[in-house]
């Protein structure tokens, strides 16, 4: 008799706007395949290339099965197996000694979004560390600049429903490569195109997404803020703005109009490298082909002036009164629409009382915060107290954090106690003193919200944990107990946390329970309409005034301009001409099609599809250096030097280069991956990452 195949309704937990409803197929306790759940209207039965063969990842030879203690040098990857009891006991003993000598702030948890689970990410980013009074981590590597810039204008209020893009007439895909990073939005754009809509892609690189657009606009990187202000100027000066809407639902639009007047087409053309008539036509069509919608990417915000660029673009829907009318507005993130019971998840109440020792010893009333983009600097330079122990989970900082040569130096510090909880033997795992094995989402329970749509999903375990691997929450509860924390929070199971998270009397949650999620796998938020049309009659903007704020007192209080403005990104030819003489090429390093940050980058089939660590150069830049397609080049700046394979053509303009990320350092030629070159400079707002503000030089290897 053939083995019986079980089908489990679960979800993809990875850091991606799509958060797919997933089916897992299991035979005799073994995962044999996965598929997109066809019942979910957004997933539509399709999974992306990365996730479609998830069994390759679950059973990868890189999977960690047992707790281990380092026996070789840091980074060498030699370990001996130990028991969980020994591992937890040793970690707690080391932490207690550190706390006694230097206070709990000497311990730094480092995590990001290896899983976006409410339990494995959000609960685990709060509870234990709150109770301990450890250094806080500012989780700024991805979205902080964009959230800050967007928030000044529209409040952190959530964007439009992606399913509503099908009803748009004019769609701007701005600074995001949807065909790679938000695949499930593409059918809605195609549907709109089939109904006569125009899709415009704005990107310095001719992406896969640009290939399916009706119009591709290619500005110089870091200049989109000027483009947005220039578009608003044309709209105002030609009377195409929606004055009634602006009067009723916004603050400071007249002052904003004056600011925009500083950006006439001649100046914007000069800044962006675009033709004046391109700018004028774009503005006119955006204002008149209603409804117009913008899909704004986080990618564009990872530029030194990223916060201001997002702030300027986020003004545009208000100028034309596109919000709240269906098919129009802007989508950066939907996450703010999910009304989960947040305190029940992360338990801020577990924080030590003010003035309790630890931070009080250093004159602080709450534990200090470390910006994750500066992890190298923090490990090397922070004092009072220095970071003496780091606990890494849901992240691979050696590979993903900027300025990785400095990060590596930090992790090499002999007096630093490094614990890593991981699924794979990553670049970072190799630096652990104690290495703990983690389950994948197919082995543990979790709840997923989303940042690209409005569905909740339940991750239901399909198979038993591999080896002795354990979910984050179980490890953290065990560590809390070993530390002597008696709080009942550390007895809670994943299911109890999920039930508490769902316990909300918000109307969007009506009828959504643990049981209904178990039955269907997913549920769309019960918004007033489907597709959801937020901000009708100007309601729902979570700004101080409750209106769209072109003039933001909050921004001014935070030390920024009252109004959106444009300044060139630091480390560009405009802002740093001397540096640009030595390093004339601006290297962008956005998401690779077949990898997800550094996840999946170890799987043979996906490495093969991604081919090699590559760099796209303009023909003029390549010829000037004697570089032909397929040649290996050396790419360097003052932070590092790496080797990449050149692709040559007109996908980028001269002076710009593009290298999809992220390869593991261990799979990269000498010098490491692209983050050996990127800067740990922070964005103008929000303390975000600046992966795209990076001047380099290139030469034939
Ligand atoms: N396949 C795949 N999917 C992913 C990820 C992945 O690594 N791989 N990562 C996931 C995560 S964590 C995130 S945050 C999202 C990110 O997804 P996106 O928001 O799409 O971000 P990026 O891929 O970094 O950059 C998108 C585009 O921005 C362009 N860009 C860079 N600078 C500028 C600029 O100044 N102006 C303009 N107009 N464009 C600019 C780049 O050329 C790039 O094509 O994707 C998620 N999905
Ligand atoms: N040059 C450059 N660098 C970038 C970017 C870029 O565009 N260019 N993108 C940046 C962005 S947008 C982001 S969001 C960051 C992402 O940075 P990270 O969040 O560090 O992302 P990943 O590289 O996916 O690493 C996540 C790790 O978590 C592990 N993991 C997954 N699930 C679990 C779990 O349940 N438990 C535990 N303990 N571990 C788990 C995975 O195995 C994986 O190794 O990278 C940033 N780095
Ligand atoms: Mo991200």
């Amino acid at each position: 008799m053939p083995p019986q195949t079980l089908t489990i309704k679960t979800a993809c937990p990875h850091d991606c706007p799509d958060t797919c409803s997933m089916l897992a197929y299991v035979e005799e306790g073994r995962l044999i395949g996965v598929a997109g759940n066809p019942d979910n209207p957004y997933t539509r039965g399709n999974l992306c290339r990365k996730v479609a063969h998830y069994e390759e990842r679950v059973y990868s030879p890189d999977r960690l099965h047992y707790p281990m203690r380092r026996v070789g040098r840091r980074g060498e990857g030699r370990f001996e197996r130990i028991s969980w009891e020994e591992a937890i006991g040793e970690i707690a003993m080391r932490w207690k000694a550190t706390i006694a000598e230097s206070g709990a702030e000497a311990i730094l948890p480092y995590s990001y979004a290896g899983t976006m689970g409410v339990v494995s990410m959000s609960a685990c980013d709060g509870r234990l560390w709150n109770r301990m009074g450890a250094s806080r981590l500012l989780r700024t590597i991805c979205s902080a600049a964009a959230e800050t810039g967007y928030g000044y204008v529209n409040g952190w209020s959530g964007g439009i429903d992606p399913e509503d893009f099908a009803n748009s007439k004019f769609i701007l895909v701005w600074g995001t490569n949807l065909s790679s990073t938000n695949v499930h939005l593409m059918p809605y754009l195609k549907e709109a195109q089939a109904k006569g809509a125009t899709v415009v892609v704005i990107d310095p690189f001719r992406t896969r997404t640009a290939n399916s657009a009706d119009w591709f606009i290619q500005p110089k990187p870091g200049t989109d803020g000027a483009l947005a202000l220039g578009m608003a100027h044309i709209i105002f000066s030609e009377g195409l703005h929606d004055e009634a809407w602006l009067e009723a639902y916004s603050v400071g639009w007249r002052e904003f109009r004056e600011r925009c007047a500083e950006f006439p087409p001649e100046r914007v053309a000069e800044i962006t490298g675009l033709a004046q008539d391109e700018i004028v036509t774009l503005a006119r069509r955006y204002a008149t082909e209603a409804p117009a919608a913008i899909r704004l990417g986080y990618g564009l915000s990872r530029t030194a002036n990223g916060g201001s660029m997002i702030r300027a673009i986020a003004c545009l829907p208000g100028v034309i009164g596109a919000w709240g009318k269906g098919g129009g507005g802007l989508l950066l993130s939907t996450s703010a629409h999910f009304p989960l019971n947040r305190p029940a998840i992360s338990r801020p109440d577990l924080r030590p009382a003010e003035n309790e020792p630890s931070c009080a010893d250093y004159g602080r009333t709450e534990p200090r915060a470390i910006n994750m983009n500066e992890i190298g600097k923090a490990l090397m330079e922070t004092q009072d107290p220095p970071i003496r122990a780091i606990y890494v989970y849901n992240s691979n900082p050696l590979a993903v954090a900027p300025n990785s040569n400095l990060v590596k130096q930090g992790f090499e510090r002999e007096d630093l106690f490094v614990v890593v909880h991981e699924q794979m033997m990553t670049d970072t795992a190799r630096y652990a003193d104690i290495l703990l094995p983690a389950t994948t989402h197919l082995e543990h329970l979790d709840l997923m919200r989303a940042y690209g749509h409005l569905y909740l999903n339940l991750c239901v375990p399909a198979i038993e944990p591999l080896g002795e691997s354990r979910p984050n929450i179980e490890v953290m509860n065990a560590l809390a107990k070993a530390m002597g924390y008696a709080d009942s929070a550390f007895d809670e199971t994943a299911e109890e946390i999920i039930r508490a998270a769902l316990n909300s009397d918000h109307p969007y949650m009506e009828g959504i329970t643990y049981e209904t999620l178990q039955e269907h796998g997913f549920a769309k938020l019960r918004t007033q309409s489907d597709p959801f049309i937020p901000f009708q009659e100007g309601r729902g903007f979570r700004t101080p005034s409750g209106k769209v704020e072109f003039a933001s007192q909050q921004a001014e209080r935070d030390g920024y301009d009252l109004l959106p403005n444009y300044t060139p990104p630091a480390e560009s030819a405009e802002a740093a001409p001397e540096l640009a003489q030595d390093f004339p090429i601006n290297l962008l390093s956005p998401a690779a099609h077949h990898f997800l940050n550094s996840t999946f980058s170890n799987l043979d089939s996906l490495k093969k599809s991604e081919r090699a660590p590559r760099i796209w150069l303009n023909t003029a830049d390549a010829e000037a250096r004697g570089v032909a397609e397929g040649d290996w080049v050396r790419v360097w700046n003052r932070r590092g030097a790496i080797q990449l394979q050149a692709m040559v053509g007109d996908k980028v303009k001269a002076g710009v280069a593009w290298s999809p990320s992220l390869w593991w350092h261990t799979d990269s030629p000498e010098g490491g991956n692209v983050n050996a070159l990127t800067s740990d400079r922070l964005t103008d707002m929000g303390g975000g990452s600046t992966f795209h503000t990076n001047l380099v030089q290139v030469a034939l290897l």
Side-chain angles (χ1 to χ4, degrees):
M1 213 173 75
Q4 203 194 347
T5 307
L6 293 175
T7 303
I8 289 99
K9 287 179 189 153
T10 184
C12 179
H14 288 289
D15 186 351
C16 165
D18 292 8
T19 310
C20 289
S21 295
M22 190 188 235
L23 302 177
Y25 304 116
V26 175
E27 279 178 8
E28 297 177 326
R30 195 175 166 88
L31 180 78
I32 57 156
V34 292
N37 186 340
D39 297 339
N40 181 312
Y42 189 76
T43 306
R44 299 191 186 194
N46 297 316
L47 293 175
C48 68
R49 269 294 305 284
K50 311 178 288 295
V51 173
H53 292 284
Y54 213 83
E55 62 283 4
E56 190 185 345
R57 181 158 197 274
V58 168
Y59 302 112
S60 157
D62 292 325
R63 261 312 280 278
L64 304 172
H65 289 250
Y66 306 103
M68 293 191 284
R69 182 190 289 121
R70 178 168 63 88
V71 291
R73 267 184 304 106
R74 284 259 171 83
E76 198 184 348
R78 283 204 299 129
F79 295 91
E80 64 177 7
R81 182 174 167 184
I82 55 174
S83 69
W84 270 106
E85 222 182 332
E86 269 178 285
I88 298 284
E90 188 166 329
I91 297 167
M93 186 190 73
R94 294 287 297 261
W95 283 357
K96 282 181 190 164
T98 299
I99 292 172
E101 285 161 25
S102 311
E105 289 174 298
I107 299 172
L108 177 70
Y110 188 100
S111 67
Y112 201 63
T115 156
M116 293 199 301
V118 162
V119 178
S120 307
M121 180 185 190
S122 311
C124 290
D125 288 352
R127 296 168 171 238
L128 173 62
W129 314 114
N130 290 342
R131 173 65 183 80
M132 186 182 280
S135 280
R136 291 183 301 125
L137 184 76
L138 296 177
R139 293 185 175 79
T140 46
I141 202 164
C142 177
S143 59
E147 283 171 11
T148 309
Y150 182 86
Y152 285 138
V153 184
N154 301 306
W156 193 241
S157 327
I160 59 171
D161 188 336
E163 295 172 67
D164 203 19
F165 275 86
N167 304 316
S168 302
K169 278 276 170 295
F170 197 75
I171 299 174
L172 295 183
V173 177
W174 205 327
T176 175
N177 184 7
L178 304 176
S179 301
S180 293
T181 62
N182 188 184
V183 190
H184 292 80
L185 187 62
M186 293 304 286
Y188 296 94
L189 303 196
K190 296 222 164 79
E191 201 180 321
Q193 279 172 311
K195 291 192 277 182
T198 300
V199 172
V200 187
V201 165
I202 306 179
D203 198 304
F205 183 77
R206 185 179 285 278
T207 56
R208 285 171 187 253
T209 319
N211 291 339
S212 62
D214 303 289
W215 185 7
F216 172 51
I217 294 180
Q218 196 171 21
K220 281 189 205 161
T223 66
D224 305 68
L227 178 58
L229 298 173
M231 285 170 69
H233 168 66
I234 293 155
I235 294 169
F236 283 128
S237 62
E238 298 190 1
L240 301 174
H241 58 290
D242 187 338
E243 191 153 334
W245 198 95
L246 289 167
E247 280 296 317
Y249 307 125
S250 78
V251 176
W253 73 269
R254 287 193 166 80
E255 294 93 316
F256 179 59
R257 182 172 60 180
E258 277 171 41
R259 169 56 51 82
C260 294
E262 296 168 27
F263 292 86
E266 318 73 84
R267 183 173 173 214
V268 176
E270 169 84 31
I271 294 172
T272 57
L274 300 174
Q276 285 188 42
D277 62 349
E278 205 174 14
I279 300 162
V280 173
T281 309
L282 178 66
R284 285 185 188 147
R285 292 192 63 185
Y286 173 68
T288 53
E289 297 182 20
I294 300 176
R295 177 65 169 114
L296 182 54
Y298 282 111
L300 152 133
S301 73
R302 293 184 203 113
T303 305
N305 59 355
S308 321
M309 291 213 292
I310 297 274
R311 186 179 177 196
I313 297 168
C315 290
L316 292 175
V319 172
I320 60 165
W323 290 117
K325 293 180 183 157
L330 185 150
L331 171 59
L332 173 66
S333 166
T334 55
S335 61
H337 293 309
F338 287 84
L340 297 185
N341 185 343
R342 281 162 212 268
I345 302 168
S346 62
R347 297 293 304 268
D349 57 297
L350 293 171
R351 284 207 185 115
E354 266 188 30
N355 300 324
E356 233 179 58
S358 263
C359 55
D361 290 350
Y362 297 97
R364 287 184 282 270
T365 53
E366 58 176 70
R368 68 172 173 207
I370 302 287
N371 189 314
M372 69 187 298
N373 294 312
E374 298 178 312
I375 182 62
K377 211 184 283 174
L379 290 174
M380 297 305 289
E381 292 174 13
T382 299
Q383 295 298 327
D384 297 327
I387 296 164
R388 297 184 52 197
I390 187 165
Y391 183 90
V392 182
Y393 58 105
N394 296 345
S395 186
N396 184 10
L398 258 295
V400 307
N403 199 1
S404 56
N405 286 324
L406 190 65
V407 181
K408 196 162 147 240
Q409 270 184 45
F411 273 86
E412 275 167 356
R413 255 180 51 202
E414 286 293 336
D415 59 339
L416 180 74
F417 177 55
V418 182
V419 182
V420 179
H421 187 203
E422 243 304 343
Q423 297 164 341
M424 303 284 170
M425 185 61 85
T426 60
D427 286 328
T428 309
R430 290 172 177 276
Y431 282 77
D433 296 311
I434 301 284
L435 182 52
L436 306 172
T439 41
T440 69
H441 70 286
L442 291 160
E443 300 148 63
H444 64 234
L445 180 70
D446 217 325
L447 174 69
M448 310 304 306
R449 54 195 154 203
Y451 65 90
H453 59 64
L454 296 166
Y455 295 83
L456 277 165
N457 274 279
L458 199 64
C459 270
V460 176
I463 54 172
E464 290 295 315
L466 257 68
E468 292 181 3
S469 61
R470 289 189 187 172
N472 294 355
I473 192 73
E474 286 180 22
V475 179
M476 295 216 178
N477 284 349
L479 284 167
K481 294 217 165 77
M483 292 299 290
Y485 305 149
D487 314 69
S488 60
F490 300 115
D491 294 319
E492 284 181 30
T493 61
E495 184 179 326
E496 285 165 333
I497 295 170
I498 294 169
R499 285 183 184 277
L502 293 171
N503 185 8
S504 157
D505 52 13
H506 196 284
Y508 294 178
M509 294 296 286
E510 202 185 317
I512 303 180
T513 63
Y514 186 79
E515 284 72 24
T516 55
L517 286 171
Q518 257 185 328
E519 187 185 343
H520 302 289
F522 64 89
K524 191 170 184 183
L525 294 179
R526 308 280 189 253
T527 49
Q528 299 91 325
S529 60
D530 188 9
F532 176 37
I533 301 171
F535 313 117
Q536 293 181 41
E537 273 115 48
R539 282 192 307 269
F541 294 107
R542 294 182 202 162
T543 51
S545 63
K547 297 181 171 188
V548 167
E549 297 195 348
F550 296 104
S552 165
Q553 308 278 345
Q554 185 60 51
E556 203 169 43
R557 276 195 295 277
D558 292 347
Y560 306 117
D561 201 325
L562 178 72
L563 296 162
N565 203 352
Y566 170 78
T567 44
E571 205 173 308
S572 62
E574 290 71 28
E578 274 177 33
L579 188 72
Q581 275 187 349
D582 291 343
F583 303 104
I585 292 185
N586 185 354
L587 176 62
L588 312 178
S589 61
H593 187 75
H594 303 92
F595 302 154
L596 192 126
N597 303 314
S598 76
T599 304
F600 301 101
S601 320
N602 58 321
L603 303 184
D604 286 339
S605 65
L606 295 170
K607 274 197 280 198
K608 216 167 140 200
S609 301
E610 200 58 36
R611 290 159 68 177
R614 289 186 289 175
I615 184 169
W616 270 258
L617 298 170
N618 182 273
T619 309
D621 289 329
E623 277 174 0
R625 291 164 175 78
V627 172
E629 173 119 345
D631 286 345
W632 283 80
V633 292
R634 178 169 181 266
V635 185
W636 76 98
N637 58 21
R638 290 181 188 145
R639 294 178 284 267
I642 65 171
Q643 298 169 26
L644 298 167
Q645 194 179 26
M647 305 292 291
V648 175
D650 62 358
K651 287 197 170 180
V652 274
K653 288 187 175 168
V656 182
W658 200 84
S659 178
S661 55
L662 282 161
W663 289 78
W664 285 12
H665 291 296
T666 43
D667 284 323
S668 302
E670 206 186 310
N673 77 13
V674 72
N675 278 330
L677 307 180
T678 55
S679 165
D680 55 9
R681 177 194 298 277
L682 304 179
T683 47
D684 54 351
M685 291 174 185
S689 57
T690 57
F691 293 109
H692 298 317
T693 299
N694 183 13
L695 290 178
V696 300
Q697 181 54 292
V698 177
L700 189 63
L701 195 66

